Amino acid sequence: MIGGSGRSGNPLVAKLSRFVLFSREEIGVLEALCANQERFNAGVNLAEEGDPTRPGFVVTRGLACRCRLMADGRRQILTFLIPGDFFDLHAFLLRSMDHSIITIAATRLATIPRNKVTEIAARYPRIGAAFWWSAMQESAMLREHIVTLGRRNARGRVAHLFCELVWRQRAVGISEDHAIRLPLTQLDIADTLGLTAVHVNRVLQGFRREGLITLVQRRLQLHDVRTLQDVAGLTPDYLHLAGAPAESGRYLDRLERREAASRERAAGWC
Amino acid sequence: MIGGSGRSGNPLVAKLSRFVLFSREEIGVLEALCANQERFNAGVNLAEEGDPTRPGFVVTRGLACRCRLMADGRRQILTFLIPGDFFDLHAFLLRSMDHSIITIAATRLATIPRNKVTEIAARYPRIGAAFWWSAMQESAMLREHIVTLGRRNARGRVAHLFCELVWRQRAVGISEDHAIRLPLTQLDIADTLGLTAVHVNRVLQGFRREGLITLVQRRLQLHDVRTLQDVAGLTPDYLHLAGAPAESGRYLDRLERREAASRERAAGWC
DNA sequence: CGAGGAATTGAGTAGGTTCAAGGCCGGTGG
DNA sequence: CCACCGGCCTTGAACCTACTCAATTCCTCG
């Protein structure tokens, strides 16, 4: 199962803690956001292109993707949503969904009512800042995806995707070594990377022959990360997982003061 | 000249006004953000990959791009920055730039100090919401770029790019008809679309032969928008330019109340 | 044990690249 | 004012990566 947990037990907390070390109270707030979980099977449409925008979600287990379905039936997967990812907390600012969200494996989600998001961001500015950080990080991944599709060949694309998925899962404490559960079909991979399933297959054959990976029974293992990174032409920390820059320390300090003030006025909200 | 203005005279105001109708005071705040402009020639590196992140900017005239330079000298242009676009207002939350920003034409920028951004967002929540809206819109454009590179052929890519550039410039009041100044070389276009300059050339020749566009002297004119949209396989309003959904009205109302309260406490800041 | 989706393999094809050469145009300096 | 220069555009021909179509095998699950 892809779902699961790291030390904190909560992938949302684990993810955002890469950016700020939260207080016990803040952690409580984030954990409360993940209450009210719902389960979905694989292949379920959580949101459809053209729908009016919905409340936000946090993925707590499983795997889903954002994708765009083309008129001719082809599709393009835009990003994968793994545990700890929340999505569309602010999407209600847009008129409608410009893409669909579909589960790939069995998935658990917590729904987050709109007003709660704005309330929390107002009352716990450090959490609000973490939301911005996460949005910046997601943009960074989208930009990286553009580079992948625009300037990497098929081998580079696959290598890059695998490295990214492994790193992201390590970042939320799901994986320890260089192996992850990968419930993607070769067609899913192809639709992510702008290739065909046939060609993805041939690339995978090549990687196996060269001893770079094994991929059996939905389990992916990277044997030679260094070489894969070279193939992908990877920039080291594009996921910005190293945490907050020293620079933002001052900003967070300021937030802390503001937060303390607002906490006096309001009792705990949950 | 690409720079210039619509009715409001200020492209930032014009852009954000697509989302909220601002009060006179809010407009004043936004216009003040655009004070302190600096001029840059074409081909200047405003920020380099790996730099520590900088303060934010607003483009008021000209054209720049975000791009990624690869190890082998190739590059991938990620997005274009046209007047009204501000960038990296929150990038200081990340450790370092993962891409460069380069001017394509002569460009004017206003620099926005970090603390001003957070101050404004706190004191004028409607402006803060507009920042989020703009971030959502930029993400939408990145996603669209992914679809372009992953699932459109060369003709579709070029057609899509042209439509997008024209629409964006109309949205900030720079262009009225279906013609814009386009200070891009064919190599720039190729680096945006994951193609080679040679092939971009052939596609353009085709479009000209078919009477779809004219492109002379850095001036692009779309003659048959309908056909170009078909070639691009365009979704109608992916830029979300139609404005805020009714849904967010309530949210903005709530903000207004909060804003009024905070305004009492603080005098105008500029 | 059967069925259906997924993976695999082969052969032919096409869209886009690569390499290379020539022409155009705008700017610059004598 | 003209000649030169460099960047950009244009065109041709050969090539290659990845696609398409199609058939076969493998897994998984009921």
Side-chain angles (χ1 to χ4, degrees), chain A residues 126-147:
Chain A
R126 284 153 50 96
I127 295 180
F131 286 165
W132 267 112
W133 173 75
S134 179
M136 295 293 100
Q137 200 213 20
E138 193 177 330
S139 287
M141 291 197 303
L142 291 175
R143 286 193 296 266
E144 192 67 29
H145 201 164
I146 290 172
V147 174

Side-chain angles (χ1 to χ4, degrees), chain B residues 15 21 56 105 120 135 160 176 193 217 222 237:
Chain B
K15 175 178 169 174
L21 273 187
I120 290 175
H160 184 270
E176 296 295 329
L193 299 178
Q217 308 265 310
L222 310 187
D237 183 40

Side-chain angles (χ1 to χ4, degrees), chain B residues 34-50:
Chain B
C34 297
N36 299 334
Q37 297 190 12
E38 257 183 292
R39 290 158 192 254
F40 297 89
N41 285 325
V44 175
N45 238 308
L46 298 177
E48 206 135 359
E49 215 171 311

Side-chain angles (χ1 to χ4, degrees), chain B residues 139-151:
Chain B
S139 286
M141 290 197 304
L142 291 175
R143 286 194 295 265
E144 192 67 30
H145 201 165
I146 289 172
V147 174
T148 292
L149 295 177
R151 289 286 176 243

Side-chain angles (χ1 to χ4, degrees), chain A:
Chain A
M1 198 47 209
I2 268 207
S5 55
R7 289 175 308 271
S8 98
N10 183 309
L12 175 61
V13 174
K15 175 179 170 175
L16 295 183
S17 292
R18 293 252 152 193
F19 173 66
V20 195
L21 273 185
F22 291 112
S23 71
R24 189 175 296 254
E25 181 183 356
E26 286 163 334
I27 290 177
V29 171
L30 291 173
E31 281 173 346
L33 273 183
C34 297
N36 299 333
Q37 296 190 13
E38 259 182 291
R39 289 158 193 254
F40 297 90
N41 285 326
V44 175
N45 239 308
L46 298 177
E48 207 135 358
E49 215 172 310
D51 282 1
T53 49
R54 304 226 215 163
F57 297 97
V58 182
V59 179
T60 56
R61 263 161 180 269
L63 183 64
C65 70
R66 298 175 185 273
C67 72
R68 185 69 166 282
L69 304 165
M70 316 286 289
D72 58 2
R74 295 180 311 167
R75 73 180 175 156
Q76 174 65 47
I77 292 180
L78 300 161
T79 57
F80 292 107
L81 298 163
I82 70 171
D85 288 337
F86 47 87
F87 54 103
D88 298 340
L89 292 192
H90 294 82
F92 64 91
L93 298 175
L94 301 182
R95 185 172 290 274
S96 68
M97 294 290 294
D98 55 18
H99 60 276
S100 303
I101 295 178
I102 300 178
T103 57
I104 289 176
T107 300
R108 281 193 217 169
L109 298 181
T111 304
I112 304 185
R114 255 158 229 195
N115 48 359
K116 224 161 219 177
V117 177
T118 48
E119 260 175 41
I120 289 174
R123 191 164 305 170
Y124 300 90
R126 284 153 50 96
I127 295 180
F131 286 165
W132 267 112
W133 173 75
S134 179
M136 295 293 100
Q137 200 213 20
E138 193 177 330
S139 287
M141 291 197 303
L142 291 175
R143 286 193 296 266
E144 192 67 29
H145 201 164
I146 290 172
V147 174
T148 292
L149 295 177
R151 288 288 176 243
R152 285 191 241 263
N153 61 16
R155 281 170 60 88
R157 295 184 198 187
V158 175
H160 184 270
L161 175 66
F162 286 173
C163 290
E164 172 177 322
L165 286 174
V166 169
W167 289 355
R168 282 177 67 191
Q169 303 214 4
R170 286 160 66 99
V172 289
I174 291 174
S175 159
E176 296 296 328
D177 49 4
H178 290 287
I180 57 171
R181 198 176 122 73
L182 189 83
L184 299 175
T185 66
Q186 295 182 356
L187 182 61
D188 291 329
I189 296 174
D191 285 344
T192 307
L193 299 178
L195 302 169
T196 52
V198 171
H199 199 61
V200 167
N201 184 291
R202 296 198 228 268
V203 170
L204 292 179
Q205 297 302 328
F207 283 175
R208 285 195 258 245
R209 214 176 308 122
E210 297 162 37
L212 298 179
I213 65 165
T214 53
L215 174 53
V216 277
Q217 309 260 310
R218 322 258 95 149
R219 182 165 186 77
L220 168 70
Q221 177 133 23
L222 310 187
H223 293 123
D224 187 347
V225 179
R226 171 57 57 85
T227 304
L228 284 170
Q229 287 184 9
D230 286 351
V231 170
L234 259 173
T235 39
D237 183 39
Y238 79 91
L239 287 179
H240 300 282
L241 293 177
E247 187 50 48
S248 60
R250 268 174 285 157
Y251 169 65
L252 290 170
D253 287 347
R254 250 181 296 131
L255 287 186
E256 218 140 1
R257 271 179 268 129
R258 205 184 294 162
E259 179 185 14
S262 75
R263 200 115 34 106
E264 285 169 24
R265 269 178 268 132
W269 65 276
C270 60

